[in-house]
Amino acid sequence: MQLDHFNITAPWSQLLQVRDFYTKVLGLTEGERPSLKNNGFWLYGNGKPIVHLMEGEVSEQQATKPYLDHMAFLTEDLQPIKQQLDSMGVASEQRDVPGRNLRQLVFFDPVGIKVEVNALV
């Protein structure tokens, strides 16, 4: 078993902001997407569509706040991401994971999803 992708559903104006955010901050690239019922984008990392963006409202099956806490990515260097966030005025928190050689950068995207980017130190 392995994780395939995350899907973010939001109204179109917010979806455009989310697309721009992930391409600028994480360096994901917009790529090929099948002709699906709803408008959207697929954002690629390492040649794979790992973040799917879809126009719409929160699913009617989610009557309360979803329990998903965050999504995490792995990179080799946190500095370029931190610099991009700072230049965009996006608050972030950097922390080391106790007992691990792992440093994290935590921040929120334009629709309030917590994002964690990890790097080995």
Side-chain angles (χ1 to χ4, degrees):
M1 185 65 65
Q2 69 180 17
L3 184 62
D4 185 58
H5 69 272
F6 287 94
N7 186 84
I8 299 170
T9 300
W12 186 251
S13 62
Q14 288 181 299
L15 209 62
L16 294 171
Q17 293 173 9
V18 171
R19 177 199 60 190
D20 294 347
F21 184 83
Y22 284 99
T23 56
K24 287 179 185 173
V25 173
L26 299 182
L28 299 179
T29 57
E30 186 180 338
E32 190 272 323
R33 178 181 182 266
S35 296
L36 301 172
K37 182 175 111 178
N38 293 39
N39 291 323
F41 309 98
W42 280 9
L43 304 181
Y44 285 68
N46 291 327
K48 297 178 182 179
I50 58 174
V51 177
H52 294 183
L53 304 177
M54 185 172 67
E55 180 182 21
E57 299 297 325
V58 174
S59 170
E60 64 277 355
Q61 296 173 355
Q62 295 173 307
T64 60
K65 183 176 180 180
Y67 287 99
L68 175 67
D69 181 70
H70 68 276
M71 57 179 160
F73 298 88
L74 183 64
T75 189
E76 293 181 8
D77 187 4
L78 293 176
Q79 255 337 95
I81 296 168
K82 173 76 170 129
Q83 290 172 345
Q84 182 65 41
L85 290 168
D86 289 348
S87 75
M88 296 168 66
V90 176
S92 65
E93 178 185 347
Q94 188 169 301
R95 56 187 176 214
D96 291 330
V97 178
R100 305 264 187 214
N101 293 330
L102 194 64
R103 183 163 292 146
Q104 300 176 320
L105 190 60
V106 179
F107 51 92
F108 290 86
D109 77 7
V111 291
I113 296 172
K114 184 168 39 171
V115 180
E116 174 185 299
V117 181
N118 298 301
L120 297 174
V121 290

